[in-house]
Amino acid sequence: MPTKAGTSEVDEYIASCPKEAQGNLAKIRSAIRATTPGATERTDYFQMPGYSYPGYDYDGMFAWFSFRKSYIRLHVRPPVIQEHNEELAGYPTTKAIVSFPMDKPIPLTLVKKLVKASLRAMKDKAR
């Protein structure tokens, strides 16, 4: 996969997190990148790794990931969390964030599904 702008900043972000979180952060990064080929990976929007396609609101941003305390967090556009609330039962959520506990495997299939839904929500809003 070609290197995108911001890749070194994302590498630095992951390296700045606790060692025990780095593997899961790398997995969520890979899942997002596999789901959205051609998206720009960057850290300049919210100072966390994020993904965008040009030409949409919020500068085309549709997904982010972060580490906070003992959670790996996936940030998506509203209303994705609400639309998938049954699948997300058991995970702490906010309007736009799902938190995956570090002591459990990251549900990568669910991550990919949420990222696709977030991309779709961004594109639908533009119509």
Side-chain angles (χ1 to χ4, degrees), residues 24-68:
N24 280 335
L25 290 167
K27 286 177 186 175
I28 206 166
R29 177 190 194 186
S30 292
I32 295 169
R33 290 171 77 173
T35 304
T36 58
T40 299
E41 180 177 72
R42 49 198 266 210
T43 58
D44 61 331
Y45 204 94
F46 297 137
Q47 288 67 57
M48 66 181 81
Y51 298 84
S52 67
Y53 285 113
Y56 295 94
D57 66 335
Y58 296 111
D59 203 21
M61 300 299 292
F62 61 89
W64 301 259
F65 67 88
S66 65
F67 169 77
R68 178 120 187 213

Side-chain angles (χ1 to χ4, degrees), residues 37-108:
T40 299
E41 180 177 72
R42 49 198 266 210
T43 58
D44 61 331
Y45 204 94
F46 297 137
Q47 288 67 57
M48 66 181 81
Y51 298 84
S52 67
Y53 285 113
Y56 295 94
D57 66 335
Y58 296 111
D59 203 21
M61 300 299 292
F62 61 89
W64 301 259
F65 67 88
S66 65
F67 169 77
R68 178 120 187 213
K69 296 183 184 172
S70 58
Y71 292 96
I72 305 297
R73 302 183 332 157
L74 176 67
H75 307 244
V76 292
R77 287 184 170 225
V80 173
I81 300 296
Q82 296 75 18
E83 292 171 352
H84 294 86
N85 62 359
E86 287 182 26
E87 293 167 278
L88 295 171
Y91 296 107
T93 60
T94 68
K95 185 176 177 180
I97 301 170
V98 58
S99 298
F100 301 110
M102 278 193 11
D103 61 351
K104 295 192 168 81
I106 300 289
L108 297 176

